[in-house]
Amino acid sequence: MSPTARTVPTTSTTACAGRRAAGGRDWLERAEEALTAAGRRRGEARRAVLELLNNQACALTAIEIEDALRTQRRVSRASVYRILEELEELGLVQRVETGQAMVRYERVADQHEHHHHLVCGGCGVVMPFSDEGLERAISSLSERVPLTVSEHEIVLRGECRDCAA
Amino acid sequence: MSPTARTVPTTSTTACAGRRAAGGRDWLERAEEALTAAGRRRGEARRAVLELLNNQACALTAIEIEDALRTQRRVSRASVYRILEELEELGLVQRVETGQAMVRYERVADQHEHHHHLVCGGCGVVMPFSDEGLERAISSLSERVPLTVSEHEIVLRGECRDCAA
DNA sequence: CAGTATATAAGATCGAGTCTCGTTATTGTT
DNA sequence: AACAATAACGAGACTCGATCTTATATACTG
């Protein structure tokens, strides 16, 4: 079995370690406003997805979102993807590639609660991190490169403490 | 259509811009040696893949490899993936996630011709880059993180000059 | 409250990647 | 050089994340 394409044992909402997001209240409100401003109607499926994303500390996959909502309100897979795409276009959500063969999504923080990801190759757990020095290096670099850089993504891979033990 | 899952218009071997890799002679030899040392036999399919990878400046997808070889020697898709996996295990090839819904592979340079990637969201072109300051920031960061970091990957996304024009 | 457009659900479909298994080819041995 | 033994390979079925299609339900507008 290929090490990176393995089935990652993620228990839906615990895929990304770390404290459950606390002060996301603003994000939910901001999201609702942005959607209304964009001329969108309200729907229960989308509201459920928004609420779930608002309570996450880190990125979820579409399937994890579908599973997590199954108990409270069945949301079709197509809807999950459609909603995530809308939210991404409005800059409310961002895609995260962790090298696990599926895309993860997370809400875009109000200010710059900007972060990147640590991925354990053993158990598949995903953890957020951020670093000032790294961001400085990136932004200075972005000036000297033959591309108008609009986003960047950094993934550190290795073994978490549990797996290394 | 989702912007990142779009079908990227890559013409097989030109997927990764930049001069065709020049001094790859050593890599090919090194690869052959490593494979022999690992007790592997020789096969035509693998030799074809090795030669192709040796002439690339940057990362290719498995499908691109299959297509590129189609004219000279038909190599089964399963073989391409199996060969790439072997090479990855031996540290001769590395996987690259560019956020384009498929994995790319490239040879691992002899010394530290270590590099990362710029991806144009418009045309899908992938370009290599490297930066000392960035590497320093990463390695100092790797010490302070709750993970034994073994690899890292950085992708800058934006618009290339042609697409921005 | 009727009309209309958006939101959603269900399921077909797509495609990258994986798996199985029968065939071919390399290599060490005689 | 013929011969096993076994690794390398090819063809195609299969998996599963993601997308597309279409019919229905629901939210706004007048």
Side-chain angles (χ1 to χ4, degrees), chain B residues 18-58:
Chain B
R19 69 288 136 161
R20 177 142 296 165
R25 182 102 303 137
D26 325 275
W27 181 79
L28 226 182
E29 281 171 20
R30 192 162 57 94
E32 303 272 22
E33 282 166 25
L35 286 161
T36 304
R40 299 287 165 70
R41 296 181 179 176
R42 299 173 173 206
E44 279 303 298
R46 190 168 61 199
R47 201 193 46 71
V49 171
L50 283 174
E51 226 157 72
L52 178 65
L53 287 176
N54 194 44
N55 290 327
Q56 300 303 316
C58 197

Side-chain angles (χ1 to χ4, degrees), chain A residues 5-152:
Chain A
R6 59 205 294 275
T7 304
V8 179
T10 47
T11 321
S12 58
T13 53
T14 61
C16 193
R19 71 288 136 161
R20 176 142 299 163
R25 181 100 306 135
D26 325 275
W27 182 79
L28 226 182
E29 282 171 20
R30 193 162 57 93
E32 303 271 22
E33 282 166 23
L35 286 162
T36 304
R40 299 285 166 73
R41 295 181 181 177
R42 295 168 177 215
E44 280 303 298
R46 190 168 59 200
R47 202 193 46 70
V49 171
L50 283 175
E51 226 157 72
L52 178 65
L53 287 176
N54 195 45
N55 290 327
Q56 300 303 316
C58 197
L60 296 181
T61 68
I63 308 292
E64 283 168 355
I65 291 171
E66 190 187 9
D67 288 347
L69 294 178
R70 201 183 304 277
T71 54
Q72 45 184 97
R73 179 183 211 284
R74 182 92 182 81
V75 175
S76 149
R77 176 161 318 176
S79 297
V80 172
Y81 282 108
R82 182 176 33 71
I83 291 166
L84 289 171
E85 192 181 331
E86 289 172 357
L87 295 178
E88 196 197 355
E89 277 166 17
L90 292 172
L92 294 164
V93 150
Q94 76 183 86
R95 299 164 61 100
V96 179
E97 314 275 338
T98 59
Q100 292 173 319
M102 39 3 187
V103 177
R104 290 179 174 278
Y105 298 84
E106 67 185 4
R107 63 170 213 277
V108 172
D110 216 340
Q111 304 296 357
H112 267 290
E113 188 201 332
H114 177 68
H115 68 264
H116 296 290
H117 298 88
L118 306 170
V119 181
C120 173
C123 62
V125 71
V126 178
M127 291 175 279
F129 80 87
S130 60
D131 184 76
E132 253 307 306
L134 192 55
E135 296 303 327
R136 272 195 300 272
I138 290 271
S139 66
S140 96
L141 168 64
S142 295
E143 317 268 294
R144 310 193 302 275
V145 120
L147 197 85
T148 311
V149 178
S150 54
E151 29 179 317
H152 62 271

